[in-house]
PDB file of all heavy atoms in Angstrom:
ATOM      1  N   LYS W 725     144.250 127.022 120.862  1.00  0.00           N
ATOM      2  CA  LYS W 725     145.659 127.415 120.764  1.00  0.00           C
ATOM      3  C   LYS W 725     145.998 128.563 121.707  1.00  0.00           C
ATOM      4  O   LYS W 725     147.138 128.560 122.316  1.00  0.00           O
ATOM      5  CB  LYS W 725     145.940 127.821 119.322  1.00  0.00           C
ATOM      6  CG  LYS W 725     147.372 128.281 119.070  1.00  0.00           C
ATOM      7  CD  LYS W 725     147.567 128.715 117.602  1.00  0.00           C
ATOM      8  CE  LYS W 725     146.769 130.022 117.358  1.00  0.00           C
ATOM      9  NZ  LYS W 725     147.077 130.597 116.012  1.00  0.00           N
ATOM     10  N   THR W 726     145.103 129.486 121.872  1.00  0.00           N
ATOM     11  CA  THR W 726     145.465 130.658 122.648  1.00  0.00           C
ATOM     12  C   THR W 726     145.297 130.455 124.123  1.00  0.00           C
ATOM     13  O   THR W 726     146.125 130.954 124.951  1.00  0.00           O
ATOM     14  CB  THR W 726     144.632 131.869 122.214  1.00  0.00           C
ATOM     15  OG1 THR W 726     143.212 131.524 122.252  1.00  0.00           O
ATOM     16  CG2 THR W 726     144.975 132.293 120.775  1.00  0.00           C
ATOM     17  N   THR W 727     144.254 129.792 124.564  1.00  0.00           N
ATOM     18  CA  THR W 727     144.003 129.617 125.981  1.00  0.00           C
ATOM     19  C   THR W 727     143.916 128.206 126.470  1.00  0.00           C
ATOM     20  O   THR W 727     143.918 127.924 127.692  1.00  0.00           O
ATOM     21  CB  THR W 727     142.679 130.369 126.423  1.00  0.00           C
ATOM     22  OG1 THR W 727     141.612 129.702 125.779  1.00  0.00           O
ATOM     23  CG2 THR W 727     142.748 131.801 126.048  1.00  0.00           C
ATOM     24  N   GLY W 728     143.813 127.252 125.566  1.00  0.00           N
ATOM     25  CA  GLY W 728     143.736 125.819 125.898  1.00  0.00           C
ATOM     26  C   GLY W 728     142.287 125.419 126.223  1.00  0.00           C
ATOM     27  O   GLY W 728     142.057 124.252 126.557  1.00  0.00           O
ATOM     28  N   TRP W 729     141.353 126.329 126.074  1.00  0.00           N
ATOM     29  CA  TRP W 729     139.935 126.033 126.330  1.00  0.00           C
ATOM     30  C   TRP W 729     139.101 126.302 125.074  1.00  0.00           C
ATOM     31  O   TRP W 729     139.424 127.145 124.260  1.00  0.00           O
ATOM     32  CB  TRP W 729     139.341 126.869 127.474  1.00  0.00           C
ATOM     33  CG  TRP W 729     140.095 126.691 128.804  1.00  0.00           C
ATOM     34  CD1 TRP W 729     141.087 127.550 129.234  1.00  0.00           C
ATOM     35  CD2 TRP W 729     139.919 125.710 129.766  1.00  0.00           C
ATOM     36  NE1 TRP W 729     141.514 127.055 130.477  1.00  0.00           N
ATOM     37  CE2 TRP W 729     140.840 125.927 130.770  1.00  0.00           C
ATOM     38  CE3 TRP W 729     139.099 124.567 129.833  1.00  0.00           C
ATOM     39  CZ2 TRP W 729     140.943 125.130 131.894  1.00  0.00           C
ATOM     40  CZ3 TRP W 729     139.245 123.754 130.879  1.00  0.00           C
ATOM     41  CH2 TRP W 729     140.139 123.996 131.938  1.00  0.00           C
ATOM     42  N   LEU W 730     137.942 125.674 125.004  1.00  0.00           N
ATOM     43  CA  LEU W 730     136.957 126.017 123.980  1.00  0.00           C
ATOM     44  C   LEU W 730     135.993 127.044 124.639  1.00  0.00           C
ATOM     45  O   LEU W 730     135.183 126.784 125.420  1.00  0.00           O
ATOM     46  CB  LEU W 730     136.153 124.812 123.545  1.00  0.00           C
ATOM     47  CG  LEU W 730     136.967 123.671 122.888  1.00  0.00           C
ATOM     48  CD1 LEU W 730     136.038 122.491 122.492  1.00  0.00           C
ATOM     49  CD2 LEU W 730     137.782 124.113 121.700  1.00  0.00           C
ATOM     50  N   ARG W 731     136.176 128.269 124.172  1.00  0.00           N
ATOM     51  CA  ARG W 731     135.347 129.379 124.769  1.00  0.00           C
ATOM     52  C   ARG W 731     134.079 129.588 123.981  1.00  0.00           C
ATOM     53  O   ARG W 731     133.981 130.410 123.085  1.00  0.00           O
ATOM     54  CB  ARG W 731     136.238 130.666 124.748  1.00  0.00           C
ATOM     55  CG  ARG W 731     137.625 130.477 125.409  1.00  0.00           C
ATOM     56  CD  ARG W 731     138.351 131.739 125.675  1.00  0.00           C
ATOM     57  NE  ARG W 731     138.602 132.583 124.580  1.00  0.00           N
ATOM     58  CZ  ARG W 731     139.681 132.482 123.798  1.00  0.00           C
ATOM     59  NH1 ARG W 731     140.538 131.472 123.986  1.00  0.00           N
ATOM     60  NH2 ARG W 731     139.890 133.299 122.810  1.00  0.00           N
ATOM     61  N   GLU W 732     133.059 128.808 124.384  1.00  0.00           N
ATOM     62  CA  GLU W 732     131.762 128.833 123.705  1.00  0.00           C
ATOM     63  C   GLU W 732     131.156 130.198 123.704  1.00  0.00           C
ATOM     64  O   GLU W 732     130.406 130.560 122.822  1.00  0.00           O
ATOM     65  CB  GLU W 732     130.791 127.802 124.260  1.00  0.00           C
ATOM     66  CG  GLU W 732     131.248 126.335 124.025  1.00  0.00           C
ATOM     67  CD  GLU W 732     132.134 125.813 125.070  1.00  0.00           C
ATOM     68  OE1 GLU W 732     132.627 126.625 125.918  1.00  0.00           O
ATOM     69  OE2 GLU W 732     132.416 124.614 125.126  1.00  0.00           O
ATOM     70  N   GLU W 733     131.345 130.981 124.792  1.00  0.00           N
ATOM     71  CA  GLU W 733     130.668 132.318 124.894  1.00  0.00           C
ATOM     72  C   GLU W 733     131.083 133.215 123.763  1.00  0.00           C
ATOM     73  O   GLU W 733     130.375 134.132 123.353  1.00  0.00           O
ATOM     74  CB  GLU W 733     131.012 132.971 126.254  1.00  0.00           C
ATOM     75  CG  GLU W 733     130.527 132.178 127.456  1.00  0.00           C
ATOM     76  CD  GLU W 733     131.573 131.304 127.978  1.00  0.00           C
ATOM     77  OE1 GLU W 733     132.472 130.987 127.234  1.00  0.00           O
ATOM     78  OE2 GLU W 733     131.390 130.805 129.131  1.00  0.00           O
ATOM     79  N   GLU W 734     132.315 133.022 123.179  1.00  0.00           N
ATOM     80  CA  GLU W 734     132.757 133.949 122.130  1.00  0.00           C
ATOM     81  C   GLU W 734     132.505 133.330 120.770  1.00  0.00           C
ATOM     82  O   GLU W 734     132.877 133.993 119.736  1.00  0.00           O
ATOM     83  CB  GLU W 734     134.334 134.068 122.316  1.00  0.00           C
ATOM     84  CG  GLU W 734     134.676 134.781 123.632  1.00  0.00           C
ATOM     85  CD  GLU W 734     136.154 134.862 123.723  1.00  0.00           C
ATOM     86  OE1 GLU W 734     136.830 135.518 122.910  1.00  0.00           O
ATOM     87  OE2 GLU W 734     136.744 134.369 124.788  1.00  0.00           O
ATOM     88  N   LEU W 735     131.866 132.183 120.649  1.00  0.00           N
ATOM     89  CA  LEU W 735     131.684 131.547 119.414  1.00  0.00           C
ATOM     90  C   LEU W 735     130.822 132.359 118.441  1.00  0.00           C
ATOM     91  O   LEU W 735     131.251 132.608 117.306  1.00  0.00           O
ATOM     92  CB  LEU W 735     131.073 130.142 119.617  1.00  0.00           C
ATOM     93  CG  LEU W 735     130.778 129.376 118.343  1.00  0.00           C
ATOM     94  CD1 LEU W 735     132.050 129.067 117.610  1.00  0.00           C
ATOM     95  CD2 LEU W 735     129.974 128.094 118.603  1.00  0.00           C
ATOM     96  N   ILE W 736     129.740 132.821 118.880  1.00  0.00           N
ATOM     97  CA  ILE W 736     128.806 133.589 117.995  1.00  0.00           C
ATOM     98  C   ILE W 736     129.393 134.992 117.619  1.00  0.00           C
ATOM     99  O   ILE W 736     129.472 135.323 116.412  1.00  0.00           O
ATOM    100  CB  ILE W 736     127.394 133.786 118.669  1.00  0.00           C
ATOM    101  CG1 ILE W 736     126.715 132.399 118.741  1.00  0.00           C
ATOM    102  CG2 ILE W 736     126.564 134.725 117.834  1.00  0.00           C
ATOM    103  CD1 ILE W 736     125.369 132.434 119.371  1.00  0.00           C
ATOM    104  N   PRO W 737     129.966 135.747 118.588  1.00  0.00           N
ATOM    105  CA  PRO W 737     130.576 137.031 118.220  1.00  0.00           C
ATOM    106  C   PRO W 737     131.699 136.834 117.184  1.00  0.00           C
ATOM    107  O   PRO W 737     131.898 137.622 116.283  1.00  0.00           O
ATOM    108  CB  PRO W 737     131.108 137.578 119.470  1.00  0.00           C
ATOM    109  CG  PRO W 737     130.233 136.932 120.579  1.00  0.00           C
ATOM    110  CD  PRO W 737     129.936 135.586 120.060  1.00  0.00           C
ATOM    111  N   LYS W 738     132.557 135.796 117.373  1.00  0.00           N
ATOM    112  CA  LYS W 738     133.684 135.569 116.535  1.00  0.00           C
ATOM    113  C   LYS W 738     133.375 134.997 115.184  1.00  0.00           C
ATOM    114  O   LYS W 738     134.175 135.154 114.215  1.00  0.00           O
ATOM    115  CB  LYS W 738     134.728 134.668 117.239  1.00  0.00           C
ATOM    116  CG  LYS W 738     135.284 135.229 118.523  1.00  0.00           C
ATOM    117  CD  LYS W 738     136.133 136.425 118.286  1.00  0.00           C
ATOM    118  CE  LYS W 738     136.798 136.935 119.616  1.00  0.00           C
ATOM    119  NZ  LYS W 738     137.674 138.120 119.329  1.00  0.00           N
ATOM    120  N   THR W 739     132.222 134.318 115.010  1.00  0.00           N
ATOM    121  CA  THR W 739     131.921 133.674 113.743  1.00  0.00           C
ATOM    122  C   THR W 739     130.768 134.307 113.005  1.00  0.00           C
ATOM    123  O   THR W 739     130.730 134.346 111.787  1.00  0.00           O
ATOM    124  CB  THR W 739     131.610 132.177 114.021  1.00  0.00           C
ATOM    125  OG1 THR W 739     130.474 132.068 114.860  1.00  0.00           O
ATOM    126  CG2 THR W 739     132.748 131.418 114.587  1.00  0.00           C
ATOM    127  N   GLN W 740     129.773 134.906 113.782  1.00  0.00           N
ATOM    128  CA  GLN W 740     128.571 135.476 113.181  1.00  0.00           C
ATOM    129  C   GLN W 740     128.586 136.993 113.252  1.00  0.00           C
ATOM    130  O   GLN W 740     127.722 137.642 112.612  1.00  0.00           O
ATOM    131  CB  GLN W 740     127.322 134.882 113.764  1.00  0.00           C
ATOM    132  CG  GLN W 740     127.221 133.364 113.590  1.00  0.00           C
ATOM    133  CD  GLN W 740     125.815 132.831 114.134  1.00  0.00           C
ATOM    134  OE1 GLN W 740     124.880 133.562 114.141  1.00  0.00           O
ATOM    135  NE2 GLN W 740     125.836 131.581 114.556  1.00  0.00           N
ATOM    136  N   GLY W 741     129.457 137.571 114.020  1.00  0.00           N
ATOM    137  CA  GLY W 741     129.463 138.970 114.181  1.00  0.00           C
ATOM    138  C   GLY W 741     128.682 139.513 115.384  1.00  0.00           C
ATOM    139  O   GLY W 741     127.782 138.742 115.928  1.00  0.00           O
ATOM    140  N   TYR W 742     128.869 140.735 115.776  1.00  0.00           N
ATOM    141  CA  TYR W 742     128.253 141.257 116.980  1.00  0.00           C
ATOM    142  C   TYR W 742     126.738 141.639 116.795  1.00  0.00           C
ATOM    143  O   TYR W 742     125.975 141.565 117.700  1.00  0.00           O
ATOM    144  CB  TYR W 742     129.042 142.507 117.486  1.00  0.00           C
ATOM    145  CG  TYR W 742     130.353 142.063 118.045  1.00  0.00           C
ATOM    146  CD1 TYR W 742     131.517 142.036 117.281  1.00  0.00           C
ATOM    147  CD2 TYR W 742     130.447 141.628 119.361  1.00  0.00           C
ATOM    148  CE1 TYR W 742     132.720 141.644 117.854  1.00  0.00           C
ATOM    149  CE2 TYR W 742     131.646 141.235 119.919  1.00  0.00           C
ATOM    150  CZ  TYR W 742     132.833 141.202 119.197  1.00  0.00           C
ATOM    151  OH  TYR W 742     133.953 140.773 119.657  1.00  0.00           O
ATOM    152  N   ILE W 743     126.410 141.947 115.538  1.00  0.00           N
ATOM    153  CA  ILE W 743     125.001 142.245 115.288  1.00  0.00           C
ATOM    154  C   ILE W 743     124.119 140.980 115.559  1.00  0.00           C
ATOM    155  O   ILE W 743     123.049 141.073 116.153  1.00  0.00           O
ATOM    156  CB  ILE W 743     124.783 142.713 113.832  1.00  0.00           C
ATOM    157  CG1 ILE W 743     125.478 144.137 113.675  1.00  0.00           C
ATOM    158  CG2 ILE W 743     123.312 142.850 113.499  1.00  0.00           C
ATOM    159  CD1 ILE W 743     125.340 144.723 112.318  1.00  0.00           C
TER     160      ILE W 743
END
Side-chain angles (χ1 to χ4, degrees):
K725 178 183 67 173
T726 53
T727 64
W729 302 98
L730 298 181
R731 307 195 300 276
E732 290 89 348
E733 297 92 344
E734 298 178 58
L735 179 62
I736 294 178
K738 297 293 185 181
T739 59
Q740 298 184 29
Y742 288 95
I743 294 178

